[in-house]
Amino acid sequence: MILAKTGNEAMAYAMKQINPDVVAAYPITPSTEIVQIFSNYVHDGLVDTEFVAVESEHSAMAACIGSAASGCRTMTATASQGLALMHEMLFIAGGLRLPIVVPIASRSLSSPLNIHADHSDSLASRDSGWMQFFCETVEEGYDSLIMAVKMAEKCSLPAIVSIDGFILSHCMERIEALDEQKVRDWLGPYKPNWNLLDLDRPILVGPATLQDYYYEFKRSQIEGMRTALPKVQEVMADFEKTFGRGYGVLEEYRCEDAEAVALLMGSASGDMRQAVDRLREQGGKVGMVKLRVFRPLPHELLRKTLTRFKTVAVLDRADSVNSFVGPLYNEVAASLYGAENQPELLSYVFGLGGKEFSPDDAARILEGALAGRKDETVTYVGVR
Amino acid sequence: MADLKSWKELPCGAIIEDMKAVLDNKTGAWRSMRPVWSEEKCINCLVCWVYCPEASIKVEDGKMTGIDLDYCKGCGICAAVCPKKVHAIDMVKEEK
């Protein structure tokens, strides 16, 4: 069925089709509508979900952890300051290996106050043990949220699915919605590894482990993320087989004989796509690599892919304020270190707080990448 | 230390299935305040049993029989939830 949906509407619609057991949520711009619309589905009896309206995002994630630990398929939605307020709880969900799934409408962090898109919120949570997926379009966000439920449960890892605030969350696009029953059948019932309320198998959840076991439990959690990538790919392949829409961990666009490519995540990939087309028309050997999965980081695939090119411009829609380069650049550089045929890596930060990023900006980056090395360590695109 | 498990042998999500480990850890040693229960005053409403976070309220056949001081950390929740008119639990300072 073809529908016109904003990103928030599509995420809420995906949640309706997923029909989670529990949603505990607190509103925040720009993701408010996701739970607002979903609460209407609850009110209208279109889902079987227990909806818990809590008093803060910290409580929302705490309620989600309690719910997931009790064997329930659990979701919430948030953004920016809300994700920041969940920060403490994100690590607990990660350590307990609870497959909670959260769509976020990515937004900058205060101060100064700003409600518009960048990736500061999710990237600040990168070490919390959550899978992270970034989307270019509304339909990709919708598909990714449905897939994330299966991935999270398969890997026993919580997952964040990011759509860029306002750019995707509030803009209407055409999506081909999937058949609801088919989605529910594809997901199947959630079979938790353990359940706090199972009286036949009493367990202790959230123990204190000191110098004797903490490190070992963390090592085990790290392995869970390290081994998640093939499972994530299996779910993507299964989704494609069932619904006919295929996604990779990363997408190459017109990269075949490219000399210079841009690597980025999120909605700006659309601008980059246009810029690649424009430069290709003029004979420029350029392409785009769109990274969809930031956690688990596909470092081997990045190495294999990026060593084919002479120059790679890495675009970060966030900055770690570390006076060096953006967070994505750091991880890409680490993935490439020691590889043969290392490409020249260029660092670009762009679009903080929703700053306009156009196909012209994208084209200038590609032209610069074709020309080779630049003087600045980092280029802050579009800053006055 | 030799019998400690490697990370590969640990359960996903750090759950503990071996309840013996829980029982062996006598958390009552952490206590600085001790609940003193009066059997005469107690009306067996068992509100303390519901609220005790350590399952330290001992109950047999629907009646309270005492407090398990091996695990009671002395948080005082039982005394706080005991109905005011009943006042069957007092918190007193632990002394050596």
Side-chain angles (χ1 to χ4, degrees), chain A residues 37 54-55 71 102 137 150 179 202 206 213 219 262 277 287 294 298-299 304:
Chain A
I37 296 163
V54 288
E55 71 276 24
V102 185
T137 66
K150 202 160 194 166
D179 178 72
Y213 271 118
R219 179 66 187 85
D277 287 346
F294 182 69
H299 53 93
K304 212 174 120 193

Side-chain angles (χ1 to χ4, degrees), chain A residues 24-228:
Chain A
Y26 191 81
I28 186 162
T29 302
S31 67
T32 299
E33 286 175 325
I34 300 177
V35 276
Q36 184 187 330
I37 296 163
F38 184 78
S39 69
N40 287 337
Y41 293 139
V42 175
H43 176 264
D44 295 343
L46 298 173
V47 287
D48 307 305
T49 308
E50 180 80 27
F51 185 83
V52 191
V54 288
E55 71 276 24
S56 76
E57 286 87 355
H58 189 276
S59 304
M61 189 44 64
C64 285
I65 290 167
S67 156
S70 308
C72 299
R73 186 172 273 160
T74 304
M75 299 182 79
T76 182
T78 193
S80 183
Q81 310 299 128
L83 191 66
L85 188 52
M86 285 180 183
H87 195 65
E88 179 196 7
M89 288 287 145
L90 294 180
F91 285 76
I92 294 173
L96 293 176
R97 306 288 301 274
L98 297 171
I100 300 163
V101 176
V102 185
I104 67 167
S106 284
R107 164 190 151 184
S108 59
L109 290 168
S110 279
S111 175
L113 179 66
N114 176 293
I115 55 170
H116 292 281
D118 68 36
H119 298 158
S120 310
D121 50 7
S122 46
L123 295 188
S125 311
R126 68 178 187 181
D127 298 337
S128 59
W130 285 59
M131 296 198 282
Q132 292 199 8
F133 305 101
F134 288 82
C135 307
E136 178 186 349
T137 66
V138 169
E139 186 175 84
E140 187 179 335
Y142 164 84
D143 287 350
S144 298
L145 192 60
I146 293 167
M147 284 191 277
V149 172
K150 202 160 194 166
M151 292 166 180
E153 291 170 7
K154 207 176 171 98
C155 303
S156 295
L157 291 169
I160 284 169
V161 179
S162 159
I163 54 170
D164 287 341
F166 290 101
I167 298 169
L168 292 180
S169 71
H170 285 64
C171 285
M172 195 165 279
E173 290 183 5
R174 171 194 187 277
I175 71 164
E176 286 187 31
L178 306 172
D179 178 72
E180 185 153 300
Q181 195 52 51
K182 224 171 154 186
V183 170
R184 291 185 184 182
D185 290 346
W186 183 71
L187 288 173
Y190 171 40
K191 296 189 189 96
N193 299 328
W194 46 265
N195 168 0
L196 189 54
L197 300 181
D198 184 354
L199 297 179
D200 295 327
R201 186 189 166 199
I203 51 167
L204 178 73
V205 175
T209 61
L210 305 179
Q211 295 93 329
D212 55 354
Y213 271 118
Y214 179 85
Y215 192 7
E216 280 69 24
F217 273 118
K218 281 291 142 188
R219 179 66 187 85
S220 157
Q221 183 189 350
I222 292 161
E223 195 67 8
M225 187 62 85
R226 279 167 75 121
T227 54

Side-chain angles (χ1 to χ4, degrees), chain A residues 193-308:
Chain A
N193 299 328
W194 46 265
N195 168 0
L196 189 54
L197 300 181
D198 184 354
L199 297 179
D200 295 327
R201 186 189 166 199
I203 51 167
L204 178 73
V205 175
T209 61
L210 305 179
Q211 295 93 329
D212 55 354
Y213 271 118
Y214 179 85
Y215 192 7
E216 280 69 24
F217 273 118
K218 281 291 142 188
R219 179 66 187 85
S220 157
Q221 183 189 350
I222 292 161
E223 195 67 8
M225 187 62 85
R226 279 167 75 121
T227 54
L229 196 65
K231 297 177 195 171
V232 163
Q233 287 167 315
E234 272 169 40
V235 173
M236 284 175 183
D238 189 20
F239 185 88
E240 183 173 9
K241 211 177 96 196
T242 311
F243 300 107
R245 288 211 283 263
Y247 295 95
V249 169
L250 48 82
E251 181 200 332
E252 291 185 26
Y253 184 66
R254 303 188 77 167
C255 285
E256 308 79 43
D257 59 342
E259 287 174 10
V261 299
L263 174 84
L264 74 170
M265 308 192 288
S267 64
S269 313
D271 301 274
M272 190 55 75
R273 218 176 271 278
Q274 282 191 39
V276 167
D277 287 346
R278 200 187 297 172
L279 265 73
R280 280 281 178 184
E281 275 172 30
Q282 299 158 11
K285 290 189 169 178
V286 293
M288 173 182 77
V289 177
K290 179 178 89 172
L291 183 62
R292 289 188 12 85
V293 182
F294 182 69
R295 286 287 182 278
L297 188 79
H299 53 93
E300 281 172 24
L301 188 59
L302 281 170
R303 176 189 277 236
K304 212 174 120 193
T305 307
L306 300 180
T307 47
R308 288 169 23 219

Side-chain angles (χ1 to χ4, degrees), chain A residues 300-344:
Chain A
E300 281 172 24
L301 188 59
L302 281 170
R303 176 189 277 236
K304 212 174 120 193
T305 307
L306 300 180
T307 47
R308 288 169 23 219
F309 313 115
K310 247 161 82 183
T311 310
V312 178
V314 183
L315 278 71
D316 268 286
R317 196 165 198 143
D319 192 284
S320 355
V321 200
N322 66 5
S323 81
F324 185 37
V325 287
L328 180 59
Y329 180 100
N330 265 330
E331 305 219 351
V332 171
S335 302
L336 285 168
Y337 185 77
E340 277 177 43
N341 307 317
Q342 280 194 39
E344 182 96 52

Side-chain angles (χ1 to χ4, degrees), chain B residues 59-93:
Chain B
V59 175
E60 270 172 44
D61 300 327
K63 289 197 170 171
M64 182 165 172
T65 59
I67 295 173
D68 189 341
L69 293 175
D70 278 350
Y71 304 104
C72 167
K73 295 196 188 89
C75 70
I77 290 174
C78 55
V81 298
C82 185
K84 286 275 176 292
K85 284 182 191 167
V86 178
H87 196 90
I89 300 174
D90 274 314
M91 297 304 291
V92 300
K93 205 170 175 191

